[in-house]
Amino acid sequence: QVQLVESGGGSVQAGGSLRLSCKTSAYATSNLCMGWFRQAPGKEREGVATITRDGTTKYGDSVKGRFTISKDKDENTLYLQMTSLKPEDSAMYSCAAGSVYCDFRSHFAYRGQGTQVTVSS
């Protein structure tokens, strides 16, 4: 069983930055595809970014150039650096792990509880 515990969410003004963290196991950061998803009230879950076991990254169109996904194998932590935040980025952000295809639409075996991000204008 892979546990995922997110932190780092909060409230920020538009244009600001936040860094989300997802604490997990060494097995996850070294062997699994991992990713960040978000879901705003009344909207479907949206893929934000993924990173393969080898470090290849992929981003959703709405966050390209503003968000960066990374992982620290020594710290067993997945990160999401968010810059130039917009009100439409407000959502519950959760991390996930264990996708065979490392694609936003594929099944992820493990998901965290999430951390709330609120961006005010």
Side-chain angles (χ1 to χ4, degrees), residues 17-66:
S17 300
L18 279 175
R19 188 178 77 161
L20 305 183
S21 300
C22 175
K23 186 71 173 177
T24 184
S25 64
Y27 172 77
T29 55
S30 295
N31 296 286
L32 301 180
C33 161
M34 300 190 71
W36 287 98
F37 291 79
R38 67 186 183 186
Q39 188 166 19
K43 295 188 176 182
E44 292 187 354
R45 185 168 58 203
E46 176 187 8
V48 176
T50 58
I51 185 167
T52 67
R53 58 182 291 179
D54 298 323
T56 300
T57 59
K58 186 184 301 181
Y59 296 92
D61 289 341
S62 62
V63 306
K64 281 180 182 177
R66 299 188 298 123

Side-chain angles (χ1 to χ4, degrees), residues 50-89:
T50 58
I51 185 167
T52 67
R53 58 182 291 179
D54 298 323
T56 300
T57 59
K58 186 184 301 181
Y59 296 92
D61 289 341
S62 62
V63 306
K64 281 180 182 177
R66 299 188 298 123
F67 291 10
T68 302
I69 187 171
S70 63
K71 59 182 177 178
D72 186 326
K73 294 181 181 180
D74 292 333
E75 296 294 327
N76 301 329
T77 302
L78 177 73
Y79 297 104
L80 183 69
Q81 179 68 49
M82 306 185 294
T83 63
S84 301
L85 283 161
K86 305 174 182 180
E88 51 264 44
D89 293 318

Side-chain angles (χ1 to χ4, degrees), residues 97-108:
S99 167
V100 173
Y101 299 106
C102 213
D103 181 87
F104 292 142
R105 291 171 293 182
S106 62
H107 172 70
F108 279 75

